[in-house]
Amino acid sequence: MTPPRRQTARRRTAVLATVPVAVAALLGATGPTAAGTTGAPGAGDPYFPLSGNGGYDVRHYDLTLGYDTGSRRLDATAVVTARATRKLTRFDLDLKGLKVTAVTVDRTAAAFRRDGQELVVTPRHALRAGREFRVTVAYHGTPKPVTDPDGSADGWIPTDDGAFVAGEPQGAMTWFPVNGHPRDKASYDFTITVPKGRTAVANGVLLGRRTAHGRTTFRWRETQPMAAYLATATIGRFRVERYTTRDGIQVYNAVDAREARAAAPVLKQLPAVLAWESRLFGPYPFRAAGAVVDHAPDVGYALETQTRPLYDRAPDLDTLVHESAHQWFGDSVTLTAWKDIWLNEGFATYAEWLYTEQHGGRSAQRTFDALYARPASDGLWAYPPGDPGNGARIFGTPVYARGAMALHELRRAVGDRDFLRILRAWATAHRGGHGTTAQFSRLAEKTSGKQLDGLFRTWLYTPGKPDRP
């Protein structure tokens, strides 16, 4: 994600001046009700305590959405396939706003009630530990975004011709019932019906489209595990471009006509950017790629929605490189707790530095030096990137720029060869899964043969401006 636009100027100045964690184990033992037979109403993340739920692991979401762009009404059905990680007499899904009309568990009507952002479901019969079950939720209403702790909008954001749907960190619950913490990744099917003349863009591969009676239905499928905040169902009047890269990646670009002229020269470079990142980080982790360039000037940020980053306006090349790098760092390898957000944003920011360095621009060292020259009172040093402290800070300058500085210090400590080996090994070992800062630091030490705990402690966890390296 690029930070909210009010922070972008600071970020642009900065740029220019082992195995995956077992999701079931994580979700099955979190929250205050872990010892009982009710699923916890949160996944236990201190930054977003109600995000996610305990007691089950989602395998698949099948979302059928009908959206009227005039009335802004959503009529939808979600089928959630999950496995109970312990005996469940009751469990929660995250869903904010929308009116639920019916819930079934394995085709049998279930009792349900609303409690804030929680949809509390009581199946007719208890679900035994290890059982796979299917929850069907029928719902409708006018979806509205949530306001995040940093003041930015997140979720289903209406536009003048549709909706800009960006879910980081908690917005997925504004448009479908979900286990909303990144710990629980799943595959997705989307069936989205919109007025004729509009295009609905989701994640993965387009399976087909059909127009009848003045409405068009788009079917999308993402088979690779995906965190809920990376799902999208963006709708608008888009010009569509489709092609396949030399590496067999299916590209689908959807661009608002008002942004087309500015976006074209940047999007033209997408295959080259993906090829360059693949050489550094390992094979591209998905079957599909592309971009959704909307005209949503009030949003103020871009997001690395899986396989198809979402831009609120025509991106510049730095932003394209950044959001594309997230397909490895953030999307394929997903954080385990929001305090580890630097594993997403620091890595994507450093990818910008490397791209600039290797394409005739300033070196990463010069970028580092320009940042380090900032006084101790500068916001860059306001808090450590390895644990920002709360949800309001996860998209702040320290996470992006000082996170990238930590990686540059690692590169200086281990040398270019081992540094690139570390990045590639991280993306490969945790492909499709999760990672933590502790796991990354252990991998770096194992790969380089160096003791690096002091480096990580200084650059990720020590408040204030570090001493000159």
Side-chain angles (χ1 to χ4, degrees):
M1 179 177 184
T2 53
R5 195 69 60 182
R6 61 183 175 276
Q7 298 173 351
T8 301
R10 289 186 292 168
R11 176 173 167 271
R12 289 302 173 213
T13 301
V15 171
L16 297 175
T18 204
V19 290
V21 177
V23 171
L26 284 166
L27 292 174
T30 57
T33 60
T37 60
T38 57
D45 193 303
Y47 286 11
F48 298 94
L50 292 179
S51 178
N53 303 281
Y56 62 92
D57 172 20
V58 177
R59 303 298 182 85
H60 185 71
Y61 293 95
D62 190 341
L63 306 177
T64 301
L65 312 172
Y67 189 64
D68 184 85
T69 54
S71 66
R72 296 184 173 178
R73 177 185 168 99
L74 178 69
D75 291 280
T77 301
V79 181
V80 184
T81 303
R83 185 180 66 85
T85 56
R86 60 173 179 270
K87 182 180 179 180
L88 286 176
T89 58
R90 191 180 74 215
F91 60 89
D92 287 20
L93 288 160
D94 300 324
L95 182 65
K96 187 173 179 63
L98 304 162
K99 180 178 177 59
V100 175
T101 56
V103 177
T104 64
V105 177
D106 291 334
R107 299 184 179 180
T108 300
F112 64 91
R113 62 181 174 85
R114 307 300 294 272
D115 183 8
Q117 71 178 54
E118 302 297 314
L119 172 62
V120 184
V121 179
T122 303
R124 182 170 296 182
H125 304 290
L127 304 170
R128 69 178 184 277
R131 173 179 167 180
E132 185 168 286
F133 62 98
R134 182 173 295 179
V135 186
T136 302
V137 181
Y139 60 102
H140 67 263
T142 303
K144 298 178 181 178
V146 294
T147 300
D148 292 324
D150 67 354
S152 58
D154 169 21
W156 190 284
I157 305 172
T159 61
D160 62 2
D161 62 354
F164 182 97
V165 184
E168 189 177 27
Q170 56 182 342
M173 65 179 175
T174 67
W175 58 286
F176 67 100
V178 61
N179 196 4
H181 195 277
R183 289 176 178 176
D184 196 358
K185 299 170 75 169
S187 57
Y188 284 73
D189 276 293
F190 305 85
T191 302
I192 310 169
T193 300
V194 294
K196 182 180 178 181
R198 303 300 203 277
T199 299
V201 188
N203 312 86
V205 174
L206 179 65
L207 300 181
R209 55 174 289 175
R210 181 175 63 89
T211 299
H213 308 296
R215 296 176 68 79
T216 304
T217 298
F218 295 81
R219 294 174 53 240
W220 294 88
R221 175 171 294 164
E222 174 54 285
T223 59
Q224 295 299 307
M226 180 167 70
Y229 79 87
L230 298 169
T232 191
T234 292
I235 297 162
R237 295 185 184 275
F238 295 125
R239 297 178 181 177
V240 172
E241 175 189 33
R242 302 179 68 179
Y243 60 89
T244 301
T245 71
R246 293 179 179 178
D247 296 326
I249 302 167
Q250 297 180 43
V251 175
Y252 186 105
N253 294 328
V255 182
D256 188 294
R258 292 166 288 186
E259 303 291 338
R261 183 174 181 179
V266 178
L267 294 184
K268 186 176 182 180
Q269 299 185 65
L270 178 60
V273 167
L274 294 178
W276 175 81
E277 290 177 334
S278 296
R279 289 193 295 272
L280 262 63
F281 310 140
Y284 181 73
F286 307 113
R287 291 177 57 197
V292 183
V293 181
D294 208 343
H295 180 75
D298 293 335
V299 171
Y301 59 82
L303 180 65
E304 62 272 15
T305 42
Q306 188 160 306
T307 69
R308 194 158 293 108
L310 178 60
Y311 303 96
D312 67 326
R313 64 194 71 190
D316 59 19
L317 183 56
D318 281 344
T319 305
L320 184 81
V321 170
H322 183 105
E323 305 303 339
S324 297
H326 273 309
Q327 302 307 303
W328 286 263
F329 305 115
D331 294 13
S332 177
V333 184
T334 303
L335 52 78
T336 304
W338 283 109
K339 71 178 180 63
D340 282 331
I341 186 68
W342 87 278
L343 290 171
N344 295 10
E345 303 302 348
F347 282 52
T349 301
Y350 199 70
E352 294 181 57
W353 297 11
L354 289 173
Y355 188 89
T356 299
E357 178 179 85
Q358 295 185 19
H359 290 80
R362 72 159 58 183
S363 69
Q365 183 63 54
R366 286 185 61 198
T367 302
F368 178 98
D369 291 342
L371 286 167
Y372 189 81
R374 296 185 180 186
S377 59
D378 190 88
L380 173 63
W381 318 113
Y383 49 87
D387 190 356
N390 58 59
R393 294 175 166 181
I394 60 175
F395 302 122
T397 300
V399 170
Y400 289 72
R402 185 170 165 181
M405 294 174 81
L407 289 173
H408 188 71
E409 281 299 280
L410 174 63
R411 177 184 175 186
R412 281 165 43 93
V414 304
D416 282 6
R417 179 176 176 273
D418 278 350
F419 177 70
L420 293 177
R421 288 178 60 207
I422 290 166
L423 294 186
R424 193 178 183 101
W426 178 249
T428 300
H430 295 263
R431 183 183 176 106
H434 296 78
T436 67
T437 299
Q439 289 173 319
F440 179 74
S441 61
R442 287 196 296 269
L443 174 66
E445 290 188 332
K446 180 179 179 181
T447 302
S448 67
K450 296 180 181 291
Q451 187 172 355
L452 300 167
D453 54 334
L455 184 154
F456 287 114
R457 182 171 58 252
T458 296
W459 283 94
L460 295 180
Y461 297 109
T462 303
K465 183 177 181 178
D467 292 335
R468 183 70 192 184

